[in-house]
């Protein structure tokens, strides 16, 4: 049965899904890496596809930007379509000196300035973490491929443009990078007892102001995708 945001039927989506923010990225991933990819969604142009990677059923779908958007899509994927392994593939801004543009970050945990977890009425602070099995697999693959990698905390921010340099306070707590979605993804997965991981290429540095060129972005994207797809095979 379709949801308000997803036209797929139960069974159309694989248990393992890759989640880029940009739906056009999902299309490129399906066309580049998946065999026999079939589109299951175009509602709001949030394209989703299912195909096979090295013989395994894998889906890919855009999430949009920000916590509310990924919260909706991941919730529906888990609760209406039976998805069990959700791997976000995105970009982030680095906020530590030793995290360079082009490096890969695997988010062991996600901090946030969002109120997303308030819905759970926890008597304290939710520590949103990746699934250890997915994290371990991704880290091992990055190592095997000699991709410069970091594992640690990130910030899922509600704001891209900020009035103050809030990132500096998070950086003091060891946060490696900033993006806008993983906290909600990790909460949704935790609440449902399924697995999630966020993998990122560093697209810019808050410290140096450096940004990737279009060409570098393409290459970094390829590295991250190979890590994510090989991780999908190991779940
Ligand atoms: N902030 C939030 N999200 C991002 C950034 C950033 O600096 N870079 C890439 N995604």
């Amino acid at each position: 049965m379709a949801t308000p945001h997803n036209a797929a039927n139960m069974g159309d989506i694989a248990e393992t899904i890759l989640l880029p923010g940009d739906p056009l990225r999902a299309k490129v991933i399906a066309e580049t890496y998946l065999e026999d990819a079939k589109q299951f969604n175009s509602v709001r142009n949030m394209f989703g596809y299912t195909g096979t990677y090295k013989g395994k059923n894998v889906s890919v779908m855009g999430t949009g930007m920000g916590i509310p958007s990924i919260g909706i899509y991941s919730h529906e994927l888990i609760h209406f379509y039976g998805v069990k392994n959700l791997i976000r593939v995105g970009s982030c801004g680095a906020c530590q000196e030793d995290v360079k543009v082009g490096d890969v970050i695997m988010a062991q945990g996600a901090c946030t300035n969002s109120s997303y977890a308030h819905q759970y009425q926890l008597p304290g602070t939710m520590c949103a973490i990746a699934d250890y099995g997915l994290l371990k697999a991704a880290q091992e693959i990055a190592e095997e491929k000699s991709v410069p990698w970091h594992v640690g905390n990130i910030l899922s921010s509600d704001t891209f443009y900020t009035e103050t340099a809030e990132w500096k306070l998070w950086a003091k707590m060891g946060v490696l990078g900033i993006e806008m979605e993983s906290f909600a993804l990790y909460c949704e997965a935790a609440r449902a007892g399924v697995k999630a991981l966020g993998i990122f290429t560093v697209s810019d540095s808050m410290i140096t102001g450096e940004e990737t060129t279009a060409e570098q972005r393409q290459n970094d994207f390829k590295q991250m995708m190979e890590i994510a797809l090989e991780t999908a095979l190991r779940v």
Side-chain angles (χ1 to χ4, degrees):
M1 196 193 65
T3 74
H5 317 98
N6 196 329
N9 292 308
M10 184 66 185
D12 288 350
I13 306 179
E15 281 198 353
T16 300
I17 193 163
L18 306 177
L19 299 170
D22 179 354
L24 288 178
R25 235 310 109 124
K27 185 167 188 277
V28 169
I29 291 168
E31 286 168 355
T32 310
Y33 297 102
L34 301 185
E35 282 171 46
D36 303 321
K38 289 190 180 51
Q39 189 170 341
F40 62 73
N41 190 50
S42 63
V43 176
R44 288 177 183 251
N45 285 337
M46 200 56 81
F47 306 129
Y49 307 82
T50 299
T52 61
Y53 178 72
K54 296 187 179 173
K56 178 171 177 148
N57 284 342
V58 173
S59 294
V60 57
M61 183 180 176
T63 64
M65 290 183 286
I67 279 176
S69 189
I70 197 169
I72 290 168
Y73 291 112
S74 61
H75 185 94
E76 292 180 350
L77 287 168
I78 295 165
H79 294 277
F80 296 89
Y81 298 105
V83 174
K84 304 285 185 214
N85 307 295
L86 301 95
I87 304 172
R88 167 161 154 69
V89 283
S91 63
C92 72
C95 49
Q96 298 291 336
E97 204 128 345
D98 64 334
V99 180
K100 308 290 185 199
V101 165
D103 289 1
V104 165
I105 295 177
M106 287 153 279
Q108 184 177 13
C111 307
T112 197
N113 51 19
S114 146
S115 60
Y116 196 78
H118 290 191
Q119 64 179 305
Y120 306 114
Q121 301 187 16
L122 302 166
T125 307
M126 173 68 183
C127 180
I129 60 169
D131 174 74
Y132 181 66
L134 289 180
L135 178 64
K136 186 164 179 282
Q139 181 275 323
E140 286 170 0
I141 293 157
E143 182 69 28
E144 285 163 22
K145 292 184 178 296
S146 301
V147 174
W149 58 266
H150 307 265
V151 169
N153 231 339
I154 58 157
L155 171 69
S156 299
S157 178
D158 260 351
T159 47
F160 183 88
Y161 299 105
T162 53
E163 195 69 23
T164 63
E166 188 191 313
W167 69 270
K168 289 184 180 171
L169 301 173
W170 293 102
K172 283 188 198 171
M173 297 305 287
V175 162
L176 302 174
I178 307 183
E179 52 86 76
M180 303 185 71
E181 293 82 14
S182 295
F183 183 84
L185 177 65
Y186 286 4
C187 284
E188 286 292 337
R191 179 69 183 87
V194 300
K195 300 176 180 182
L197 173 67
I199 307 176
F200 307 92
T201 56
V202 176
S203 58
D204 52 270
S205 170
M206 323 292 278
I207 292 171
T208 61
E210 190 190 357
E211 288 179 15
T212 36
T213 62
E215 193 187 347
Q216 194 186 349
R217 259 201 302 280
Q218 207 54 34
N219 189 49
D220 298 345
F221 171 69
K222 195 164 159 263
Q223 284 188 333
M224 174 180 62
M225 281 315 304
E226 286 171 9
I227 296 170
L229 285 160
E230 291 299 317
T231 302
L233 291 184
R234 294 190 193 179
V235 295

